[in-house]
Amino acid sequence: MGKWTGLKPPSAEGWLGRQSIALLILLVAVGVVYSNSFDNEFLFDDLETIVELHRPGSGPFQQLEALLGGRSAYRPVRSASYAMDYAISGLDPWGYHLTNTALHGLSAICVYLIARTLFASPLPALLAALLFAVHPIQTESVTYLSGRRDVLSGLFVLIGFYSFLRYRQSRRVRDLVLTILLCPLAFFTKESGIILPLLCLGYDVVSRIKRSGPDGEVSGIRAIWSAASTAVREGRWFYLPAGVLTGALAFYVLFLVRGTSQRAWHGGSLEMTLLTMARVFLRYLALLLFPMTLNADYSYNAFSITTSWADPTAWLAVAIWGGLGVAWYRLLLQRPPVAFGGLWFLIALLPVSQIIPHHDLMAEHFLYVPSVGFALLVAGLLEPVLSRPRPSAAIATACILVLSLLAVRTVVRNADWKDELTLWSKTVQTAPESARARNNLGAAYLRRGQFNQAEEQLAAAVAIQPDLTVARGNLGKLLMDRGDLVRAEEELEKALAGRSRETIPRLWLGAVYLKQGKATEAEAQFQQALTHPRSAAYAHNNLGVLLANRDQPAEAEAAFREALRLMPDLLEAKDNLRRLSTRQEISVLKNRDRK
């Protein structure tokens, strides 16, 4: 087999012809399937990454400080995009949903342009782009506003890769420069954007595979090795700076920000992690092929971890991947564009393969960029029948039917993300052994004052995972609100055992101590919470209450004002400051009366 030469730029058709219609179809499809998500509320991480960052009353300098510091610092591009949304729609979620949907539409266009470059016919390219655009696996990235990290980073990766394809066709340096510039943009939106140079290298290798030479047929292994050597040698002026940049970015996230709480291997060892990931990757493939049961949480017990060499499901997954690997190798030597889709899928999963442990074992939003490879693979397999002058009516009908079913599933799934109670009720129904989902549902009930339902879910979360700090903390808060201070103290102390950096349960424990008349113990908890930026405002407010009870009005006022400086919209501090002022005024009037 000769060199893969069936590449052509999509501009050959002209923007006023079929290509314009294809892009319009993509944008309409994305707009239709995500139109019912615009009324959805802020959920889960949205409260920290959006609402707290742009809380009412904070000025532009405070927002800039929040953008460049704290948890958002290692994903500043995503945070900057939220700031632009805030300028348009404030804290009304519709503006953020509109941006997510628009970015996803642009990503779908990029998938079409990439596929149109790889395939000889427009229909397979349109199929790949539509499959990516309407697939329900994307809802966690597009409908969930914190999924902006995946959508925006994915868009940068897709634009960068398409620019690289254009460079390979035209040799225009500006296209290559654009690819290099998009690497850090993708990375500082989400760390998985680091894969862009690897995708380029994968394309370069696949596109250079030649099975025939001057001496006849060349073995497959030798052909691949020769292609890889040639790609690296000829592209050294791109891969050398790209490699240095990638190394610097990897050092940044691994040693400077370390955006994960996971320190140990899943399953206790690298071997168990790899066996677990064989099962995880197989689940990813199953979700792409049959996305009926979707889940917002795959944490503790929602997806079991392999901990033994005797796990039959792990070895079954390994065997299946072995068979798929053999099939892919044959495809690589016979139909490189199709095989490149499979290679894209695996390369894009590398950052979430747990080789570097992360606290999220798996998540559906991890598939945003890998799903592009899946779409290219499916479209490539169907290319021979779709590229005919008159494609089979049966094949076309089947494609339309599958895309329609996927679109309907996406619309239905959008409704699951309506609000926190809907989302976590659905998640508990889907994964009843998920401790985190139980806790989140319990917390949602707690915020609504539905104490019985909250206690049922929080107790279940603690039963599933006894060391889940946040669940014990929420259970302690519930008991405190009910007035059961003894049990509340017990639960909150368990939540904090050996966890000096926890803040919210510490504030609640201090409040319990204060209600029990243990002022010294309460003050110690509040003082410790002052050292953490996320809880400092609340800690100052609680200290103000303590000082007011000690009849130290000046010190209490200073504490309330400091709380409001840190969080201008903290209603508790405003109310406490008003009560303190009223109390001081009454005290002054009483003193005058006595005189």
Side-chain angles (χ1 to χ4, degrees):
M1 179 178 176
K3 185 178 179 181
W4 171 16
T5 57
L7 308 178
K8 68 187 187 73
S11 58
E13 295 177 11
W15 287 93
L16 298 178
R18 294 180 181 176
Q19 189 154 262
S20 303
I21 297 174
L23 300 186
L24 181 61
I25 290 172
L26 285 172
L27 292 177
V28 170
V30 170
V32 168
V33 298
Y34 285 103
S35 61
N36 70 320
S37 70
F38 282 31
D39 290 331
N40 290 5
E41 299 176 2
F42 293 118
L43 296 168
F44 202 37
D45 284 348
D46 298 345
L47 301 177
E48 181 179 347
T49 59
I50 300 175
V51 177
E52 285 190 18
L53 182 65
H54 303 106
R55 55 183 178 265
S58 59
F61 291 106
Q62 290 172 304
Q63 292 177 12
L64 182 61
E65 181 182 2
L67 179 65
L68 299 178
R71 186 176 174 183
S72 63
Y74 71 104
R75 290 175 177 171
V77 179
R78 178 197 63 173
S79 299
S81 73
Y82 288 146
M84 289 186 284
D85 287 338
Y86 180 75
I88 296 172
S89 62
L91 286 179
D92 191 330
W94 74 264
Y96 302 82
H97 285 294
L98 177 62
T99 300
N100 270 26
T101 303
L103 292 172
H104 183 55
L106 293 175
S107 293
I109 288 175
C110 289
V111 173
Y112 174 81
L113 295 176
I114 290 169
R116 188 64 191 93
T117 304
L118 299 179
F119 302 137
S121 172
L123 278 182
L126 182 58
L127 174 62
L130 281 171
L131 184 56
F132 169 81
V134 304
H135 200 291
I137 203 68
Q138 314 296 19
T139 52
E140 189 168 315
S141 298
V142 182
T143 304
Y144 178 34
L145 295 176
S146 288
R148 173 76 58 85
R149 61 203 165 194
D150 300 279
V151 180
L152 187 55
S153 178
L155 177 59
F156 289 140
V157 168
L158 291 168
I159 295 174
F161 182 74
Y162 180 60
S163 296
F164 183 79
L165 290 183
R166 290 180 63 86
Y167 168 73
R168 282 293 177 234
Q169 294 163 349
S170 65
R171 296 294 172 178
R172 288 194 297 263
V173 175
R174 67 171 181 262
D175 292 325
L176 189 61
V177 170
L178 180 58
T179 299
I180 294 174
L181 291 176
L182 284 167
C183 286
L185 273 178
F187 177 85
F188 284 113
T189 306
K190 188 182 178 182
E191 306 74 62
S192 57
I194 203 170
I195 62 168
L196 178 53
L198 289 178
L199 292 174
C200 297
L201 178 61
Y203 167 81
D204 266 354
V205 172
V206 170
S207 64
R208 285 171 167 76
I209 293 177
K210 294 184 291 184
R211 292 295 305 281
S212 59
D215 299 325
E217 187 77 5
V218 178
S219 71
I221 299 296
R222 185 178 174 185
I224 294 172
W225 175 256
S226 175
S229 302
T230 302
V232 172
R233 184 176 63 255
E234 293 181 356
R236 61 187 180 277
W237 298 116
F238 167 69
Y239 292 116
L240 181 60
V244 171
L245 178 61
T246 300
L249 295 176
F251 177 84
Y252 168 80
V253 73
L254 291 177
F255 298 103
L256 298 183
V257 301
R258 193 72 170 103
T260 176
S261 58
Q262 185 74 21
R263 295 293 184 269
W265 296 109
H266 292 282
S269 68
L270 175 60
E271 294 81 2
M272 294 302 107
T273 293
L274 294 176
L275 287 176
T276 300
M277 293 315 296
R279 294 171 47 236
V280 169
F281 281 16
L282 198 60
R283 174 67 73 87
Y284 284 152
L285 191 56
L287 287 172
L288 288 169
L289 289 169
F290 194 70
M292 282 302 297
T293 303
L294 299 174
N295 188 10
D297 182 74
Y298 291 90
S299 62
Y300 191 90
N301 271 17
F303 188 93
S304 61
I305 296 174
T306 295
T307 57
S308 169
W309 290 101
D311 185 350
T313 59
W315 291 110
L316 177 61
V318 170
I320 292 173
W321 281 113
L324 291 174
V326 171
W328 177 81
Y329 173 74
R330 292 180 178 176
L331 198 62
L332 177 65
L333 300 178
Q334 296 171 9
R335 298 180 61 194
V338 184
F340 178 66
L343 183 62
W344 179 301
F345 178 75
L346 293 176
I347 288 175
L349 281 176
L350 280 177
V352 294
S353 63
Q354 301 297 333
I355 295 174
I356 299 169
H358 190 271
H359 54 268
D360 284 330
L361 177 67
M362 68 175 292
E364 289 168 10
H365 65 85
F366 288 168
L367 285 173
Y368 189 76
V369 176
S371 66
V372 175
F374 173 79
L376 292 174
L377 180 63
V378 171
L381 290 172
L382 293 175
E383 183 184 18
V385 293
L386 292 176
S387 298
R388 295 172 184 170
R390 292 185 178 180
S392 165
I395 294 294
T397 301
C399 289
I400 293 172
L401 178 61
V402 169
L403 290 172
S404 299
L405 290 173
L406 292 174
V408 170
R409 181 69 183 100
T410 297
V411 172
V412 172
R413 182 58 174 164
N414 288 338
D416 293 340
W417 292 85
K418 176 68 177 176
D419 53 49
E420 60 175 356
L421 200 59
T422 303
L423 174 65
W424 297 117
S425 295
K426 181 66 176 179
T427 305
V428 167
Q429 179 184 345
T430 303
E433 291 301 305
S434 170
R436 184 163 66 179
R438 292 276 189 181
N439 168 71
N440 292 342
L441 180 56
Y445 281 130
L446 181 59
R447 280 186 282 272
R448 286 165 171 76
Q450 297 174 256
F451 291 149
N452 291 336
Q453 296 92 327
E455 185 172 12
E456 177 186 354
Q457 296 301 327
L458 294 172
V462 170
I464 295 168
Q465 188 177 357
D467 63 343
L468 186 60
T469 298
V470 65
R472 285 202 178 274
N474 285 330
L475 187 56
K477 173 66 163 58
L478 182 151
L479 294 168
M480 179 181 69
D481 290 346
R482 275 184 169 172
D484 191 345
L485 300 181
V486 174
R487 288 181 60 202
E489 179 183 353
E490 179 183 346
E491 289 296 336
L492 291 167
E493 286 180 345
K494 285 180 181 179
L496 292 169
R499 296 174 176 85
S500 61
R501 293 188 60 81
E502 292 295 332
T503 57
I504 303 302
R506 190 170 302 286
L507 290 171
W508 290 336
L509 180 58
V512 169
Y513 286 149
L514 194 58
K515 290 182 178 183
Q516 292 174 325
K518 302 176 182 177
T520 302
E521 291 87 341
E523 184 175 9
Q525 297 298 327
F526 298 152
Q527 290 289 352
Q528 194 166 349
L530 284 176
T531 62
H532 301 281
R534 288 183 61 191
S535 61
Y538 300 102
H540 278 292
N541 175 67
N542 288 6
L543 272 174
V545 173
L546 186 150
L547 293 167
N549 289 341
R550 284 180 175 172
D551 201 21
Q552 297 177 254
E555 292 82 352
E557 181 180 355
F560 292 142
R561 292 196 182 281
E562 179 61 16
L564 289 172
R565 186 189 69 81
L566 295 172
M567 188 177 291
D569 62 328
L570 186 58
L571 294 178
E572 296 94 329
K574 290 180 180 178
D575 291 341
N576 288 332
L577 188 59
R578 185 176 62 253
R579 291 191 192 99
L580 182 66
S581 299
T582 302
R583 187 165 137 191
Q584 289 175 299
E585 289 172 4
I586 292 174
S587 177
V588 169
L589 290 174
K590 285 182 177 179
N591 288 334
R592 286 179 181 173
D593 290 341
R594 290 191 188 120
K595 292 178 181 179

